[in-house]
Amino acid sequence: MKNYKLLTPGPLTTTNTVKEEMLFDHCTWDDDYKVITLEIRRKLLELAHVSEEDYTVVLMQGSGTFGVESVLTSVVGDEDKLLIIANGAYGERMEDIAKHAGIPYMIHHEVYYKVPDAQKIAEILDQNPDITHVSMVHSETTSGILNDIEAVSKVVKERNRTMIVDAMSSFGGVDIPVGEWGIDFIVSSANKCIQGVPGFSFIIANKQKLVESKGKARSLSLDLYDQWATMDKDGKWRFTSPTHVVLAFSQALKEMEEEGGIPARNKRYTDNNKLLIEKMAELGIHPYIEAEHQGPIITTFFYPENHKFSFTDMYTYIKDRGYAIYPGKVTEAETFRIGNIGEIYEEDILKLIEILTQFLKENNE
Ligand SMILES: *Cc1c(COP(=O)(O)O)cnc(C)c1O
């Protein structure tokens, strides 16, 4: 029987009550459905600590990348210039998007195990007055590092540029006061820390900047302004909405409130993560990111030393016993990753360690 929990950074393990919402085929045109979308948008504003006067929410069909692509291709005009800050594959994906769409851009690379330095970004902005927009990832899922978007947003704001954040794997799991930090566009998706299922992304946008972007979009389906203009009228989606995913997401938001909102979820994830790192250390397995910058979402671990080690063998062994883990994604070292978001609790982390301990024992003879 196919039955395991996901220790991956999304899709992740959801509750049965979230999955059960998808047993109903909802129609899309009546008020019953449209109010669900409106309510989701209202709750996301609350989670971002912003008001309806200054910010708004757009839901966009597709996976998380569709949301990032929608923002970059809709708000950075042909006369503008984007500075991409990258210390992982998701930052680099923004460059891919810019290349495909012909968006004028420059990129600032940082090594994967370091957080980009706000002072350096400030210097780049001062040397390049033609840069109008800056984009970066908050939780770089490639490594598990948590970037300091507060410090970077500050220098961007002080210089009157537009700040775009990919908070895909952190929004809902890490508290982000979007307005206070001066973030203009922040993107996440249904299947990460809110604990819904895959099918749409969402963008929390500075309303004025969104309105200014009207007519700039390079794509029809990913036109952020048009998507918003339709949805903002009464909650109707432009083009077919992923109804089952929307119902599941609405339930996931309710369950998040019941858990105690972002603070409670952050605590559970952080506790999971700390326990995981502590127990792995006892097995001689150490994280790739220094403790100071390690985020609470996913951890990259080096392969254990002095051990005949095969990731595939370990993966299969663990999966047969109830958990799916993740291969590494950093380029310069042999690593694997373990996510601890979703319906994952202390007992799961302890169970995983037990399985891994047994695997290492059996394979070290
Ligand atoms: C998951 C994720 C994305 C989106 O990936 P999709 O596969 O398109 O859902 C983007 N950025 C980060 C940091 C992510 O963790």
Side-chain angles (χ1 to χ4, degrees):
M1 171 165 152
K2 221 173 30 178
N3 200 353
Y4 49 76
K5 289 189 185 176
L6 296 170
L7 296 175
T8 61
L12 36 65
T13 300
T14 57
T15 60
N16 285 335
T17 37
V18 161
K19 287 189 272 280
E20 273 158 18
E21 285 296 306
M22 295 188 287
L23 293 173
F24 182 58
D25 305 306
H26 214 298
C27 77
T28 57
W29 68 271
D30 69 6
D31 286 344
D32 285 355
Y33 185 70
K34 290 190 282 192
V35 295
I36 299 172
T37 296
L38 292 176
E39 187 65 5
I40 286 174
R41 293 176 61 224
R42 192 188 60 75
K43 284 186 179 174
L44 288 174
L45 278 185
E46 246 171 52
L47 291 178
H49 309 286
V50 287
S51 76
E52 235 171 281
E53 281 106 79
D54 303 326
Y55 281 82
T56 188
V57 177
V58 192
L59 311 183
M60 180 65 75
Q61 293 93 333
S63 80
T65 305
F66 290 59
V68 177
E69 185 154 14
S70 170
V71 172
L72 296 184
T73 60
S74 298
V75 311
V76 187
D78 291 331
E79 311 301 317
D80 297 330
K81 187 168 179 183
L82 172 67
L83 169 66
I84 300 166
I85 303 166
N87 63 334
Y90 293 99
E92 287 158 13
R93 187 173 294 175
M94 293 188 191
E95 178 176 31
D96 259 359
I97 291 170
K99 273 188 189 155
H100 273 263
I103 297 169
Y105 77 95
M106 64 181 278
I107 184 159
H108 170 66
H109 287 283
E110 185 50 271
V111 290
Y112 283 18
Y113 52 86
K114 276 194 188 160
V115 299
D117 175 38
Q119 217 35 57
K120 211 180 250 170
I121 307 302
E123 281 164 28
I124 297 172
L125 291 176
D126 291 339
Q127 287 157 8
N128 297 274
D130 57 336
I131 294 170
T132 51
H133 296 69
V134 177
S135 65
M136 83 183 278
V137 175
H138 184 211
S139 162
E140 233 318 341
T141 321
T142 311
S143 64
I145 201 167
L146 194 66
N147 288 330
D148 189 355
I149 50 169
E150 181 182 6
V152 174
S153 300
K154 189 160 180 281
V155 304
V156 171
K157 220 35 7 184
E158 281 167 359
R159 287 159 182 78
N160 261 317
R161 322 293 172 89
T162 297
M163 183 71 188
I164 300 166
V165 173
D166 167 351
M168 207 69 65
S169 65
S170 54
F171 190 86
V174 177
D175 202 26
I176 308 171
V178 172
E180 200 185 306
W181 287 2
I183 300 166
D184 298 302
F185 296 91
I186 190 162
V187 189
S188 185
S189 74
N191 60 281
K192 302 239 170 160
C193 295
I194 311 278
Q195 298 190 182
V197 303
F200 70 84
S201 59
F202 55 86
I203 296 104
I204 297 157
N206 175 319
K207 218 189 241 179
Q208 191 196 330
K209 300 231 170 176
L210 176 64
V211 169
E212 283 168 13
S213 78
K214 183 178 181 180
K216 286 187 187 168
R218 295 167 179 81
S219 146
L220 172 71
S221 338
L222 296 176
D223 187 327
L224 187 67
Y225 177 87
D226 272 3
Q227 182 84 353
W228 172 73
T230 305
M231 189 170 274
D232 202 48
K233 270 184 232 142
D234 61 355
K236 175 135 177 50
W237 289 56
R238 196 182 56 134
F239 314 142
T240 300
S241 70
T243 47
H244 303 80
V245 182
V246 168
L247 296 177
F249 190 75
S250 168
Q251 175 65 21
L253 279 170
K254 273 185 209 135
E255 293 180 11
M256 184 162 172
E257 274 165 44
E258 283 159 18
E259 186 177 351
I262 296 174
R265 189 148 290 184
N266 179 262
K267 181 171 188 313
R268 176 161 64 86
Y269 290 172
T270 304
D271 290 349
N272 282 346
N273 185 256
K274 289 218 166 100
L275 181 66
L276 173 70
I277 291 173
E278 187 188 303
K279 291 286 171 191
M280 290 293 259
E282 290 171 14
L283 297 176
I285 300 176
H286 300 284
Y288 167 82
I289 298 294
E290 272 176 41
E292 190 195 346
H293 298 298
Q294 171 65 50
I297 309 297
I298 184 167
T299 310
T300 296
F301 291 101
F302 290 112
Y303 283 7
E305 281 169 32
N306 305 324
H307 197 282
K308 290 200 307 295
F309 186 82
S310 147
F311 174 77
T312 314
D313 289 352
M314 176 180 74
Y315 176 79
T316 310
Y317 188 94
I318 295 174
K319 190 169 136 201
D320 288 346
R321 287 156 184 80
Y323 295 94
I325 65 165
Y326 227 39
K329 202 169 177 161
V330 303
T331 46
E332 81 282 13
E334 291 215 290
T335 59
F336 62 95
R337 288 178 293 170
I338 295 180
N340 53 258
I341 58 177
E343 277 302 285
I344 297 297
Y345 295 87
E346 185 182 302
E347 68 208 53
D348 295 298
I349 303 296
L350 295 175
K351 189 82 210 297
L352 171 77
I353 294 295
E354 201 184 301
I355 298 165
L356 191 55
T357 305
Q358 195 58 33
F359 169 80
L360 292 175
K361 211 190 273 172
E362 285 177 27
N363 285 270
N364 217 11
E365 271 131 31

